[in-house]
Amino acid sequence: MSHPLTCRNYIAGEWSNAASSATLESRNPADRREVVATFPRSTATDVETAVAAARHAYRSWRLVPAPARAEYIQRVGELLRKYKEELALLMSREMGKPLTEARGDVQEGIDCAYYSAGEGRRLFGQTTPSEMPNKFAMTVRMPVGVCALITPWNFPVAIPCWKAMPALVCGNTVIFKPAEDTPACATKLVEIFAEAGLPEGVINLVHGVGEEAGKALVEHPDVDLVSFTGSSETGAFVASTCGRTHKRVCLEMGGKNAQIVMEDADLQLALDGAIWGAFGTAGQRCTATSRLLLHRDIKEKFTDMLKERTSRLRLGAGTDPKTDVGSIVNQKQLQRVSKYLDIAREEGAKVLIGGEVATKEGLQNGYFFQPTILDFVTPQMRVAREEIFGPVVVLIEVDSFEEAIAILNDTPYGLSSSIYTRDINRAFAAMRDIEAGITYINGPTIGAEVHLPFGGVKQTGNGHREAGTAVLDVFTDWKTVYVDFSGNLQRAQIDNRS
């Protein structure tokens, strides 16, 4: 086992310990005997220092031309390419996902860097005719100010990049609070931003736990915007706090995503999508396929195919190239998944495969849960409505396309969705009628691209979107500008009306 990394906060261009000198450990979830890193347990004192640094840096950073700000982000992308393998390996060790997926996580950061850098030359406003003579009217985008970015552990590079890169290109300064399960990934990422030459105070890193450092960030009066990705419960606290303090808030929260498989579907293709959607990242994705809505005509055949493929999935450390499904991130999350299996049995669901903590040789020192299929599930069961965030998929039989759409929509969440069918009329009806921020036709519920908006409806979010040009509406304010060169007082709606 390698020597633990020593992570620190990054504030005003300097690496530092928490003011209290308290530290925490990050352990490898595939082998909890290995300490991957130690990191500061920051408090409100450290948050205060970081916010002051970001506020000071904002004065000059907002005046840097947007194309010049974007050049820093372009360099971050180039450095991410350079360190891709190192960062992917660190990610696999720290949060458990297989190396193939970890490389994809870093690649998403690279893609986001190049896309965001391009937006530095495109932060378009509008020009429009004035109703008055000799008067010019236009809109321009203005930065919001100091942004707190609170991110989860399941995509420890991609999601921080989704937030930080457009925020910085738009002229904001940021304070990045990563999940306590992935401090080493966050540290390496910020080291890359620093290597790209960003001025001091423009990006700041504050480690710690959510109830301390995260809460202090959300409540700080000099933070202008909070961008949060995490649970709906924590998101509700963030939203209510920002509402009371008049902060802008962007929320990306839970999901209970469904894949519909109709009787005319390409079953092999649908199977590939179901396996990837349900068990990629050990089901620890907000876009994970946690419900399979199967038409009665193909349910038995598809279920047999699904059981057979699932039985061949190999559990193991993410760093092992033979691993298909990695570990659960920590003990608390493992217990959560186990609890939901108890609930499923109590509700009358049948475990077709899996359903237990995995403890066989090579897995006993980690947090592993068997890939699990639950059958005879009804739409009102808790396992069909609540986010489990583990390698568990439930099967629900449907009699028709209309019933499938109704069951898919009958959930508090609305992030991602999928339908497999060869019927173009059904496909377009699904695009229209599914209540979700993302819909895939003949594809899994997983697989976002950085140039398209990402987010959901209902309790999944609060209407904002990350990625694509939609993210610019999170990290900028619109300003309307009028230039009157008539030399006279001109009163709109008055002087131009008879």
XYZ file of all heavy atoms in Angstrom, residues 169-234:
475
model
N -15.017 31.079 -16.242
C -15.067 31.752 -17.547
C -16.031 32.935 -17.503
O -15.777 33.982 -18.122
C -15.467 30.750 -18.650
C -15.808 31.478 -19.952
C -14.339 29.751 -18.890
N -17.104 32.798 -16.734
C -18.093 33.878 -16.639
C -17.616 35.043 -15.773
O -18.292 36.071 -15.705
C -19.410 33.336 -16.092
S -20.308 32.298 -17.269
N -16.474 34.894 -15.100
C -15.922 35.994 -14.321
C -16.154 35.925 -12.834
O -15.853 36.876 -12.106
N -16.680 34.780 -12.355
C -16.877 34.591 -10.924
C -15.608 34.042 -10.280
O -14.723 33.517 -10.965
C -18.013 33.598 -10.680
C -19.286 34.002 -11.366
O -19.967 34.929 -10.949
N -19.627 33.308 -12.457
N -15.518 34.139 -8.978
C -14.512 33.403 -8.216
C -15.224 32.303 -7.441
O -16.434 32.393 -7.178
C -13.735 34.313 -7.258
O -14.664 35.008 -6.399
C -12.911 35.324 -8.044
N -14.491 31.229 -7.101
C -15.164 30.070 -6.536
C -14.476 29.559 -5.278
O -13.270 29.716 -5.098
C -15.269 28.917 -7.562
C -15.959 29.371 -8.830
C -13.917 28.323 -7.878
N -15.304 28.935 -4.435
C -14.837 28.163 -3.288
C -15.400 26.762 -3.463
O -16.613 26.563 -3.521
C -15.310 28.766 -1.957
C -14.812 30.203 -1.827
C -14.821 27.933 -0.788
C -15.708 31.077 -1.008
N -14.530 25.808 -3.598
C -14.870 24.424 -3.894
C -14.843 23.621 -2.601
O -13.821 23.533 -1.936
C -13.856 23.913 -4.920
C -13.863 22.437 -5.209
C -14.994 21.656 -5.061
C -12.695 21.829 -5.680
C -14.971 20.296 -5.353
C -12.657 20.477 -5.974
C -13.802 19.708 -5.802
N -15.994 23.072 -2.231
C -16.109 22.189 -1.061
C -16.454 20.782 -1.566
O -17.588 20.497 -1.919
C -17.181 22.714 -0.108
C -17.748 21.708 0.901
C -16.713 21.123 1.824
C -17.347 20.104 2.760
N -17.696 18.807 2.098
N -15.455 19.893 -1.629
C -15.714 18.536 -2.110
C -16.284 17.646 -1.018
O -16.222 17.969 0.172
C -14.323 18.066 -2.529
C -13.396 18.760 -1.564
C -14.025 20.113 -1.297
N -16.809 16.507 -1.441
C -17.274 15.504 -0.477
C -16.098 14.981 0.344
O -14.976 14.876 -0.154
C -17.942 14.352 -1.215
N -16.368 14.632 1.585
C -15.288 14.158 2.460
C -14.780 12.772 2.062
O -13.743 12.329 2.562
C -15.720 14.165 3.927
C -17.047 13.541 4.227
C -18.200 14.549 4.269
O -18.222 15.477 3.445
O -19.079 14.384 5.140
N -15.478 12.087 1.144
C -15.002 10.787 0.675
C -13.955 10.898 -0.424
O -13.293 9.905 -0.740
C -16.177 9.951 0.156
C -17.090 9.486 1.274
O -16.631 8.691 2.104
O -18.243 9.940 1.316
N -13.799 12.077 -1.033
C -12.865 12.203 -2.165
C -11.971 13.448 -2.057
O -11.844 14.221 -3.002
C -13.640 12.244 -3.490
O -14.710 13.203 -3.399
C -14.218 10.881 -3.838
N -11.319 13.645 -0.936
C -10.460 14.835 -0.796
C -9.208 14.774 -1.671
O -8.718 15.814 -2.125
C -10.093 14.834 0.683
C -10.158 13.382 1.081
C -11.322 12.833 0.297
N -8.668 13.584 -1.904
C -7.452 13.486 -2.703
C -7.718 13.861 -4.157
O -6.917 14.563 -4.788
C -6.872 12.075 -2.615
N -8.847 13.395 -4.699
C -9.210 13.771 -6.070
C -9.396 15.284 -6.178
O -8.946 15.911 -7.144
C -10.487 13.058 -6.488
S -10.317 11.284 -6.753
N -10.050 15.870 -5.190
C -10.267 17.312 -5.205
C -8.950 18.069 -5.135
O -8.751 19.077 -5.838
C -11.166 17.712 -4.033
N -8.048 17.591 -4.305
C -6.750 18.252 -4.162
C -5.972 18.208 -5.465
O -5.412 19.226 -5.908
C -5.941 17.597 -3.031
O -6.663 17.746 -1.796
C -4.568 18.234 -2.892
N -5.931 17.039 -6.095
C -5.212 16.928 -7.366
C -5.836 17.829 -8.428
O -5.129 18.477 -9.211
C -5.206 15.475 -7.838
C -4.454 15.253 -9.149
C -2.980 15.641 -9.032
C -2.237 15.477 -10.335
N -0.827 15.931 -10.238
N -7.160 17.899 -8.440
C -7.834 18.755 -9.415
C -7.472 20.219 -9.211
O -7.165 20.941 -10.167
C -9.352 18.560 -9.314
C -10.196 19.380 -10.291
C -9.848 19.057 -11.747
C -11.688 19.136 -10.028
N -7.470 20.670 -7.972
C -7.136 22.070 -7.700
C -5.649 22.328 -7.957
O -5.269 23.422 -8.402
C -7.561 22.464 -6.274
C -7.059 23.857 -5.907
C -9.084 22.414 -6.155
N -4.807 21.348 -7.712
C -3.392 21.495 -8.091
C -3.259 21.770 -9.586
O -2.411 22.564 -10.019
C -2.619 20.223 -7.728
C -2.342 20.063 -6.244
C -1.657 18.737 -5.929
O -1.505 17.899 -6.860
O -1.282 18.526 -4.759
N -4.105 21.135 -10.375
C -4.080 21.339 -11.827
C -4.547 22.752 -12.170
O -3.954 23.431 -13.021
C -4.941 20.268 -12.517
C -4.224 18.911 -12.435
C -5.246 20.636 -13.964
C -5.066 17.736 -12.876
N -5.603 23.225 -11.518
C -6.041 24.612 -11.736
C -4.924 25.586 -11.363
O -4.688 26.577 -12.063
C -7.290 24.908 -10.910
C -8.590 24.525 -11.573
C -9.095 23.245 -11.434
C -9.295 25.441 -12.317
C -10.286 22.879 -12.032
C -10.499 25.096 -12.925
C -10.997 23.807 -12.778
N -4.235 25.303 -10.256
C -3.144 26.180 -9.830
C -1.996 26.141 -10.829
O -1.398 27.183 -11.160
C -2.663 25.778 -8.437
N -1.675 24.944 -11.333
C -0.599 24.821 -12.320
C -0.929 25.572 -13.600
O -0.026 26.039 -14.301
C -0.342 23.338 -12.610
C 0.883 23.102 -13.482
C 1.197 21.624 -13.683
O 0.749 20.792 -12.871
O 1.899 21.301 -14.665
N -2.207 25.700 -13.899
C -2.614 26.452 -15.084
C -2.387 27.947 -14.925
O -2.542 28.700 -15.893
C -4.083 26.175 -15.397
N -2.066 28.399 -13.707
C -1.694 29.790 -13.497
C -2.793 30.723 -13.060
O -2.617 31.947 -13.104
N -3.916 30.180 -12.609
C -5.006 31.051 -12.159
C -4.531 31.975 -11.041
O -3.818 31.547 -10.132
C -6.180 30.216 -11.658
C -7.082 29.611 -12.745
C -7.904 28.489 -12.180
C -7.977 30.681 -13.338
N -4.908 33.242 -11.081
C -4.483 34.185 -10.030
C -4.966 33.738 -8.652
O -5.990 33.064 -8.515
C -5.156 35.500 -10.451
C -5.394 35.360 -11.916
C -5.673 33.906 -12.146
N -4.236 34.127 -7.622
C -4.571 33.703 -6.262
C -5.949 34.210 -5.858
O -6.346 35.320 -6.185
C -3.509 34.189 -5.272
C -3.384 35.684 -5.131
C -2.287 36.070 -4.152
O -1.194 35.454 -4.193
O -2.525 36.996 -3.349
N -6.659 33.335 -5.195
C -7.994 33.667 -4.709
C -9.109 33.417 -5.694
O -10.288 33.454 -5.316
N -8.772 33.145 -6.963
C -9.816 32.924 -7.962
C -10.485 31.575 -7.749
O -11.698 31.435 -7.870
C -9.226 33.051 -9.388
C -10.218 32.569 -10.436
C -8.845 34.497 -9.662
N -9.688 30.562 -7.430
C -10.250 29.271 -7.035
C -9.684 28.911 -5.672
O -8.478 29.039 -5.424
C -9.968 28.163 -8.072
C -10.705 26.877 -7.661
C -8.486 27.932 -8.283
C -10.766 25.831 -8.766
N -10.569 28.500 -4.763
C -10.185 28.146 -3.399
C -10.781 26.787 -3.066
O -11.882 26.448 -3.524
C -10.704 29.195 -2.407
C -10.217 30.591 -2.748
O -9.133 30.993 -2.349
N -11.021 31.340 -3.506
N -10.062 26.019 -2.275
C -10.485 24.676 -1.881
C -10.583 24.606 -0.367
O -9.610 24.925 0.336
C -9.466 23.649 -2.390
C -9.590 22.209 -1.883
C -10.883 21.560 -2.374
C -8.380 21.389 -2.328
N -11.749 24.196 0.120
C -11.952 24.027 1.565
C -12.483 22.618 1.809
O -13.592 22.271 1.394
C -12.935 25.073 2.128
C -13.185 24.816 3.609
C -12.400 26.480 1.924
N -11.673 21.797 2.462
C -12.083 20.439 2.813
C -12.929 20.465 4.083
O -12.972 21.460 4.814
C -10.847 19.568 3.069
C -10.030 19.288 1.864
N -10.435 18.438 0.873
C -8.798 19.739 1.487
C -9.509 18.356 -0.064
N -8.499 19.143 0.283
N -13.541 19.327 4.380
C -14.279 19.200 5.634
C -15.588 18.472 5.441
O -15.891 17.959 4.355
N -16.387 18.415 6.502
C -17.677 17.731 6.451
C -18.778 18.738 6.160
O -18.649 19.932 6.443
C -17.965 16.971 7.765
C -16.904 15.915 8.011
C -18.044 17.919 8.945
N -19.869 18.217 5.609
C -20.941 19.103 5.180
C -21.567 19.898 6.300
O -21.879 21.086 6.140
N -21.745 19.255 7.457
C -22.423 19.927 8.573
C -21.594 21.078 9.142
O -22.137 21.922 9.871
C -22.727 18.924 9.686
C -23.704 17.825 9.298
C -23.039 16.659 8.572
O -21.824 16.757 8.266
O -23.725 15.659 8.307
N -20.305 21.115 8.815
C -19.438 22.179 9.333
C -19.024 23.125 8.205
O -19.567 24.223 8.086
C -18.218 21.550 10.019
C -18.601 20.701 11.224
C -17.472 19.805 11.734
O -16.381 19.787 11.132
O -17.690 19.136 12.750
N -18.111 22.701 7.363
C -17.625 23.584 6.303
C -18.707 23.885 5.268
O -18.880 25.031 4.837
C -16.407 22.957 5.622
N -19.459 22.857 4.864
C -20.499 23.073 3.866
C -21.583 24.008 4.357
O -21.999 24.934 3.653
N -22.043 23.791 5.565
C -23.097 24.626 6.154
C -22.623 26.076 6.277
O -23.363 27.020 5.977
C -23.482 24.066 7.515
C -24.615 24.788 8.223
C -25.017 24.020 9.478
C -26.194 24.672 10.179
N -25.820 25.916 10.883
N -21.371 26.271 6.702
C -20.838 27.626 6.852
C -20.774 28.345 5.509
O -21.036 29.556 5.433
C -19.450 27.567 7.488
N -20.452 27.617 4.455
C -20.417 28.216 3.121
C -21.808 28.659 2.679
O -21.992 29.769 2.165
C -19.868 27.212 2.115
C -18.409 27.314 1.693
C -18.073 26.203 0.714
C -18.100 28.671 1.087
N -22.769 27.782 2.860
C -24.138 28.085 2.426
C -24.683 29.298 3.172
O -25.396 30.134 2.605
C -25.043 26.855 2.635
C -26.505 27.197 2.380
C -24.615 25.718 1.716
N -24.327 29.421 4.430
C -24.879 30.497 5.260
C -24.084 31.795 5.181
O -24.564 32.840 5.641
C -24.935 30.030 6.720
C -25.914 28.886 6.955
C -25.904 28.374 8.384
O -24.895 28.633 9.100
O -26.871 27.708 8.780
N -22.900 31.789 4.584
C -22.043 32.974 4.624
C -22.660 34.128 3.824
O -23.035 33.957 2.667
C -20.658 32.652 4.071
C -19.622 33.643 4.492
N -19.585 34.943 4.006
C -18.591 33.547 5.374
C -18.579 35.584 4.558
N -17.960 34.757 5.396
N -22.759 35.323 4.415
C -23.420 36.446 3.733
C -22.679 36.954 2.505
O -23.289 37.612 1.649
C -23.486 37.529 4.821
C -22.414 37.163 5.803
C -22.355 35.675 5.792
N -21.378 36.685 2.368
C -20.619 37.164 1.220
C -20.510 36.137 0.097
O -19.781 36.352 -0.875
C -19.220 37.607 1.643
C -19.237 38.958 2.340
O -20.199 39.724 2.115
O -18.320 39.233 3.129
N -21.217 35.026 0.230
C -21.345 34.075 -0.880
C -22.598 34.449 -1.664
O -23.685 34.568 -1.108
C -21.442 32.624 -0.362
C -21.837 31.666 -1.478
C -20.106 32.199 0.246
N -22.437 34.653 -2.974
C -23.545 35.131 -3.802
C -24.347 34.016 -4.443
O -25.504 34.217 -4.829
C -22.996 36.036 -4.914
C -22.252 37.233 -4.358
O -22.895 38.068 -3.690
O -21.026 37.335 -4.572
N -23.725 32.848 -4.596
C -24.379 31.748 -5.295
C -23.901 30.432 -4.706
O -22.717 30.286 -4.382
C -24.041 31.802 -6.790
C -24.556 30.695 -7.718
C -24.741 31.255 -9.141
C -23.625 29.484 -7.786
N -24.810 29.466 -4.576
C -24.455 28.114 -4.150
C -24.893 27.147 -5.241
O -26.067 27.122 -5.634
C -25.125 27.729 -2.817
C -24.780 26.284 -2.450
C -24.695 28.678 -1.707
N -23.949 26.378 -5.739
C -24.252 25.302 -6.686
C -24.007 23.989 -5.963
O -22.882 23.691 -5.559
C -23.367 25.414 -7.929
O -23.637 24.355 -8.821
N -25.071 23.199 -5.805
C -25.017 21.992 -4.968
C -25.458 20.778 -5.761
O -26.492 20.805 -6.440
C -25.929 22.170 -3.750
C -26.154 20.898 -2.959
C -25.218 20.471 -2.033
C -27.292 20.132 -3.171
C -25.420 19.290 -1.321
C -27.503 18.952 -2.462
C -26.562 18.536 -1.535
N -24.690 19.699 -5.663
C -25.104 18.394 -6.175
C -25.020 17.402 -5.031
O -23.977 17.264 -4.391
C -24.205 17.926 -7.332
O -24.290 18.864 -8.405
C -24.642 16.561 -7.842
N -26.134 16.720 -4.763
C -26.169 15.784 -3.650
C -27.583 15.306 -3.394
O -28.436 15.310 -4.291
N -27.844 14.933 -2.163
C -29.141 14.343 -1.817
C -30.239 15.404 -1.797
O -29.990 16.589 -1.584
C -29.063 13.677 -0.440
O -28.969 14.662 0.583
N -31.469 14.946 -1.997
C -32.603 15.864 -1.963
C -32.813 16.430 -0.559
O -33.252 17.581 -0.408
C -33.874 15.146 -2.433
O -33.761 14.778 -3.790
N -32.483 15.645 0.463
C -32.651 16.125 1.836
C -31.718 17.303 2.117
O -32.141 18.343 2.639
C -32.374 14.990 2.832
C -33.364 13.842 2.785
C -33.129 12.883 1.624
O -32.086 12.973 0.952
O -34.025 12.042 1.386
N -30.443 17.148 1.765
C -29.498 18.251 1.958
C -29.835 19.409 1.035
O -29.733 20.577 1.419
C -28.059 17.771 1.710
O -27.779 16.666 2.570
C -27.063 18.883 1.974
